[in-house]
Amino acid sequence: DEIELNATLVDVNANLDVSGTYTGAGLMTTGGNIVIPDAGNIGSASDTDALSIDSTGRLTKSQVPAFIAYRDAGDLTSSTVVIFNQAVLNAGSHYDTSNGRFTAPVAGKYQFNAFLSHNGSGTANTGICRGQINGSFQNWLFPIYPNIDHLSVSLSFVANLSANDYVNIHTGTSLNILGSGNIHNHFSGFLIG
């Protein structure tokens, strides 16, 4: 049987069992718990749902901005933005392989990771891998290294970004940063929330 209600407010002081589909355009609020039973999902189990919880409690968020890219376009020998030109993953297409920038689609906290390798002498008191936000160096993202012929550097940081802020990685100084051969580099990031 179908019951159609055209009311501004329906107050139910008992259990409400809906075995079909609830469709609503308004706001649904509760003062209690919302329980997803075993084998239940918010949305469905398909990858296109923005939020899904399977029967074991695993939460997946298919629309989270995330990327990982690497550079195979040659070594870098000057102080410059590193353009990681090959995207392995680019959920939402917010990383640009032509300019090396990740642009935040929404305000939030983001996690970033970078890895670069240097080959050759001359690393004393230099920075190989510097994080930039909106083109400005972040002094707290500037590790300095000793004079070593071959050095690999990792950098991880969390940034609180506004929508349309962008993040990129800069070499910081003029060194021989590997960008070909064995691909000793990468840049990745994702929205935490």
Side-chain angles (χ1 to χ4, degrees):
D1 293 339
E2 184 175 308
I3 299 173
E4 183 174 333
L5 297 174
N6 292 312
T8 303
L9 176 65
V10 176
D11 190 1
V12 178
N13 291 314
N15 291 333
L16 179 63
D17 187 0
V18 178
S19 59
T21 301
Y22 166 78
T23 303
L27 176 65
M28 184 174 142
T29 61
T30 179
N33 297 323
I34 295 177
V35 177
I36 308 299
D38 289 345
N41 289 295
I42 295 175
S44 69
S46 72
D47 290 337
T48 58
D49 290 318
L51 179 66
S52 180
I53 303 173
D54 71 10
S55 61
T56 64
R58 292 175 294 201
L59 173 66
T60 58
K61 300 180 283 184
S62 66
Q63 304 303 312
V64 172
F67 75 97
I68 184 167
Y70 64 87
R71 178 180 175 82
D72 68 357
D75 296 351
L76 300 170
T77 57
S78 63
S79 178
T80 186
V81 170
V82 182
I83 298 174
F84 300 87
N85 61 304
Q86 298 293 331
V88 177
L89 166 71
N90 198 1
S93 300
H94 304 294
Y95 176 75
D96 189 333
T97 57
S98 70
N99 63 17
R101 292 180 179 180
F102 170 82
T103 302
V106 295
K109 294 172 182 64
Y110 291 80
Q111 167 75 42
F112 294 98
N113 310 286
F115 171 77
L116 293 175
S117 291
H118 166 267
N119 190 20
S121 61
T123 59
N125 298 317
T126 61
I128 293 175
C129 185
R130 291 189 76 178
Q132 288 185 310
I133 298 174
N134 295 328
S136 296
F137 287 116
Q138 307 300 303
N139 288 333
W140 51 279
L141 296 176
F142 187 31
I144 297 176
Y145 304 97
N147 193 7
I148 298 174
D149 287 347
H150 188 91
L151 181 64
S152 294
V153 176
S154 293
L155 176 67
S156 295
F157 59 98
V158 174
N160 193 26
L161 302 179
S162 297
N164 298 314
D165 282 351
Y166 67 88
V167 174
N168 59 266
I169 300 300
H170 198 283
T171 59
T173 50
S174 298
L175 293 172
N176 186 33
I177 303 299
L178 299 177
S180 55
N182 292 327
I183 317 299
H184 295 297
N185 62 75
H186 71 259
F187 180 33
S188 66
F190 61 92
L191 173 66
I192 297 171

Short mmCIF file of all heavy atoms in Angstrom, two decimals, residues 26 31 36 54 69 73 127 129 141 156 161 166 182 191:
data_model
loop_
_atom_site.label_atom_id
_atom_site.label_comp_id
_atom_site.label_asym_id
_atom_site.label_seq_id
_atom_site.Cartn_x
_atom_site.Cartn_y
_atom_site.Cartn_z
N GLY A 26 14.54 17.51 1.09
CA GLY A 26 14.74 18.38 2.23
C GLY A 26 15.82 17.86 3.15
O GLY A 26 16.60 16.97 2.80
N GLY A 31 17.56 12.94 16.33
CA GLY A 31 18.13 13.16 17.66
C GLY A 31 18.75 11.89 18.20
O GLY A 31 19.34 11.88 19.26
N ILE A 36 23.22 1.52 10.13
CA ILE A 36 23.27 0.83 8.85
C ILE A 36 23.40 -0.65 9.19
O ILE A 36 24.40 -1.07 9.76
CB ILE A 36 24.47 1.29 7.99
CG1 ILE A 36 24.50 2.81 7.86
CG2 ILE A 36 24.45 0.59 6.64
CD1 ILE A 36 23.30 3.40 7.19
N ASP A 54 30.30 -0.63 3.82
CA ASP A 54 29.85 -2.00 3.55
C ASP A 54 29.49 -2.70 4.85
O ASP A 54 29.57 -2.13 5.94
CB ASP A 54 30.88 -2.77 2.72
CG ASP A 54 32.15 -3.12 3.49
OD1 ASP A 54 32.19 -2.96 4.72
OD2 ASP A 54 33.11 -3.58 2.84
N ALA A 69 52.02 11.48 -8.89
CA ALA A 69 52.64 11.71 -10.20
C ALA A 69 54.15 11.60 -10.06
O ALA A 69 54.70 11.75 -8.97
CB ALA A 69 52.25 13.10 -10.72
N ALA A 73 60.66 13.52 -17.48
CA ALA A 73 60.93 14.48 -18.55
C ALA A 73 62.35 15.06 -18.48
O ALA A 73 62.60 16.14 -18.99
CB ALA A 73 59.91 15.61 -18.50
N GLY A 127 68.91 23.10 -0.19
CA GLY A 127 67.60 22.45 -0.08
C GLY A 127 67.25 21.82 -1.41
O GLY A 127 67.29 22.47 -2.45
N CYS A 129 64.33 19.91 -1.91
CA CYS A 129 62.89 19.72 -2.08
C CYS A 129 62.16 20.73 -1.20
O CYS A 129 62.19 20.63 0.01
CB CYS A 129 62.56 18.29 -1.67
SG CYS A 129 60.90 17.76 -1.91
N LEU A 141 59.10 24.12 5.39
CA LEU A 141 59.19 22.98 4.48
C LEU A 141 60.48 23.07 3.67
O LEU A 141 60.49 22.94 2.46
CB LEU A 141 57.98 22.97 3.52
CG LEU A 141 56.62 22.78 4.14
CD1 LEU A 141 55.52 22.88 3.09
CD2 LEU A 141 56.54 21.43 4.84
N SER A 156 57.08 15.32 3.74
CA SER A 156 55.65 15.13 3.97
C SER A 156 55.13 16.29 4.81
O SER A 156 55.81 16.73 5.74
CB SER A 156 55.39 13.81 4.72
OG SER A 156 55.75 12.72 3.93
N LEU A 161 44.24 24.39 3.37
CA LEU A 161 44.08 25.17 2.14
C LEU A 161 42.67 25.70 1.99
O LEU A 161 41.71 25.09 2.45
CB LEU A 161 44.41 24.30 0.92
CG LEU A 161 45.79 23.66 0.87
CD1 LEU A 161 45.92 22.81 -0.39
CD2 LEU A 161 46.88 24.72 0.92
N TYR A 166 46.90 26.49 -4.45
CA TYR A 166 47.63 25.44 -5.13
C TYR A 166 48.94 25.14 -4.42
O TYR A 166 49.51 25.98 -3.74
CB TYR A 166 47.87 25.76 -6.61
CG TYR A 166 48.80 26.92 -6.88
CD1 TYR A 166 50.17 26.72 -6.98
CD2 TYR A 166 48.31 28.21 -7.04
CE1 TYR A 166 51.03 27.77 -7.23
CE2 TYR A 166 49.17 29.27 -7.30
CZ TYR A 166 50.52 29.04 -7.39
OH TYR A 166 51.37 30.09 -7.64
N ASN A 182 65.75 5.92 -13.80
CA ASN A 182 65.01 5.04 -12.90
C ASN A 182 63.85 5.72 -12.18
O ASN A 182 63.24 5.15 -11.28
CB ASN A 182 65.95 4.43 -11.86
CG ASN A 182 66.93 3.46 -12.50
OD1 ASN A 182 66.59 2.80 -13.47
ND2 ASN A 182 68.14 3.39 -11.97
N LEU A 191 42.96 14.85 0.00
CA LEU A 191 42.14 15.58 0.98
C LEU A 191 41.93 14.72 2.21
O LEU A 191 41.45 13.59 2.10
CB LEU A 191 40.81 15.96 0.36
CG LEU A 191 39.76 16.58 1.29
CD1 LEU A 191 40.22 17.94 1.80
CD2 LEU A 191 38.42 16.70 0.56
#
